[in-house]
Amino acid sequence: MQPFQNKITSLFKIDIPVIQAGMIWASGWRLASAVSNAGGLGLIGSGSMYPDVLREHIQKCKSATDKPFGVNVPMLYPDIDKHIQIIIEEKVAIVFTSAGNPNTYTSLLKQHGITVVHVVSSSKFAVKAEAAGCDAVVAEGFEAGGHNGREETTTMVLVPAVCQSVSIPVIAAGGIATGKQMLAAMVLGASGVQIGSRFIASHEASSHIDFKNAIINTKEGDTSLALKKLTPVRLIKNKFYHDVLKAEEAGASQEELKLLLGRGRAKRGMFEGDLDEGELEIGQVSSLFNKIVPAAGIVDSIWQEFQQQLRHPLK
Ligand code: NDP
């Protein structure tokens, strides 16, 4: 492998500027440590973990890799204060915060020497994250799976806009699963990429096998944004999605949508494999791959393709 160094590899002390996104019900210690061992940065997704479960995953990740890894903290989930406390106690070196205000925890985490990155869907929030003291931002475009920006700005537009707005390093996300897409994002000004969907269809992801198979069978146009009145989220268009769409078209209120969503829909779909009634969060890019493979193979093939493409003349 050709040695490579830039702002993101230096910031995280990694070899390859590929970051595996923190994803609820998918990215536990197995996936995070596999990605870190392959030279990228693995993230434990704490959003679907009770505090004691998060501690266990951090400890198992430490045993499974001596490479850097991080924890993603989506701020709309419960028990965030306890999660932050555990992250500090366990001396996790890197935290990615998302779906909330970067002012809430950045300075506390920085006081403990933790590298902090915030996920944004607009230049406005990128500027806020830089002002809050974050070390980098993830600019996540509309193609991304799961929770998503209200303004629907695509990665192609968001990445250069965020790069113009801040001076901290920018990591591109949303719609990226190949080396060619990675190179495109870096030509737009990003110093690395964050990849979610591709890593769910890996052996190490803790997601249900039926969900993984549904992902690799999606075709172009099979995902859509839903629940914009609550928290916008990109889903596979299954029965639950169509029920939500019907309710939204009938003018359902926030309260009615909350009632329809109920509790634990995400777990039901992605962890328990209920493909009809569960919530199936995945990005548009899932239509571009069709195999469940080891996580290290994903990192390797993206990096190989990126390097080959760098040397390749443009058509
Ligand atoms: P829910 O709030 O519906 O249910 C909680 C789920 O998280 C359960 O499956 C529970 O597992 C698990 N869980 C993990 N850690 C904790 C914890 N520390 N405390 C409580 N539950 C925990 O979960 P969602 O993932 O669907 O939504 C999370 C948040 O996002 C909620 O605040 C929700 O209102 C909000 N939201 C979500 C949307 C979505 O699309 N999912 C849309 C709009 C808002 P177990 O069953 O084992 O207890």
Side-chain angles (χ1 to χ4, degrees):
M1 187 174 62
Q2 299 274 342
F4 179 90
Q5 216 181 6
N6 74 356
K7 291 180 203 167
I8 285 298
T9 58
S10 303
L11 182 66
F12 300 134
K13 302 184 179 65
I14 56 175
D15 296 327
I16 301 171
V18 168
I19 293 126
Q20 161 254 309
M23 298 167 288
I24 58 163
W25 304 113
S27 55
W29 69 272
R30 274 199 184 84
L31 179 57
S33 60
V35 172
S36 290
N37 282 331
L41 181 72
L43 298 182
I44 294 172
S46 74
S48 50
M49 295 178 180
Y50 284 96
D52 53 335
V53 176
L54 173 62
R55 193 187 292 279
E56 187 187 326
H57 277 259
I58 293 170
Q59 290 175 351
K60 284 186 170 163
C61 205
K62 282 183 198 164
S63 310
T65 183
D66 52 10
K67 301 272 176 66
F69 71 91
V71 175
N72 170 228
V73 181
M75 287 152 86
L76 50 68
Y77 283 82
D79 287 331
I80 302 304
D81 286 336
K82 285 186 199 153
H83 283 183
I84 295 287
Q85 202 46 48
I86 289 168
I87 285 166
I88 292 168
E89 282 167 20
E90 294 292 332
K91 302 194 184 335
V92 172
I94 301 162
V95 169
F96 279 46
T97 50
S98 55
N101 187 339
N103 285 309
T104 320
Y105 295 109
T106 303
S107 57
L108 173 67
L109 293 166
K110 299 283 303 169
Q111 278 164 32
H112 287 85
I114 297 171
T115 299
V116 183
V117 180
H118 192 67
V119 182
V120 300
S121 57
S122 70
S123 306
K124 192 174 117 192
F125 286 125
V127 169
K128 229 172 147 176
E130 183 172 40
C134 292
D135 297 285
V137 283
V138 176
E140 188 187 75
F142 182 59
E143 297 92 323
H147 292 298
N148 206 306
R150 286 180 189 282
E151 288 159 5
E152 308 196 355
T153 309
T154 59
T155 303
M156 191 68 135
V157 173
L158 183 68
V159 172
V162 170
C163 290
Q164 276 170 28
S165 309
V166 296
S167 54
I168 51 177
V170 176
I171 299 160
I176 302 169
T178 68
K180 288 182 186 176
Q181 289 169 319
M182 177 177 176
L183 181 60
M186 290 177 71
V187 170
L188 293 175
S191 304
V193 290
Q194 178 175 278
I195 295 176
S197 299
R198 185 63 193 98
F199 282 113
I200 300 190
S202 71
H203 295 314
E204 293 86 350
S206 55
S207 331
H208 196 282
I209 186 63
D210 292 353
F211 176 45
K212 293 184 189 181
N213 282 324
I215 290 168
I216 59 171
N217 286 317
T218 54
K219 303 279 176 292
E220 202 183 310
D222 279 354
T223 72
S224 184
L225 197 77
L227 291 168
K228 221 172 161 179
K229 263 190 196 167
L230 291 181
T231 310
V233 62
R234 179 176 296 283
L235 303 173
I236 293 180
K237 294 175 181 170
N238 66 347
K239 179 184 176 296
F240 170 68
Y241 164 81
H242 286 289
D243 288 347
V244 168
L245 188 68
K246 223 165 112 187
E248 286 177 332
E249 282 171 354
S253 65
Q254 266 200 357
E255 280 316 305
E256 286 166 327
L257 288 173
K258 267 189 201 161
L259 213 64
L260 176 58
L261 181 64
R263 187 174 185 278
R265 282 275 181 188
K267 181 183 186 187
R268 195 160 162 189
M270 300 188 283
F271 197 64
E272 296 172 347
D274 184 339
L275 300 186
D276 292 327
E277 294 298 339
E279 214 183 34
L280 306 176
E281 302 180 7
I282 204 73
Q284 288 184 344
V285 78
S286 59
S287 65
L288 293 185
F289 49 84
N290 55 17
K291 270 200 186 102
I292 301 167
V293 293
I298 296 173
V299 176
D300 192 52
S301 64
I302 290 170
W303 191 234
Q304 297 284 347
E305 188 181 276
F306 174 88
Q307 288 181 312
Q308 271 166 20
Q309 203 58 34
L310 257 181
R311 295 189 290 268
H312 212 271
L314 293 172
K315 279 185 194 158

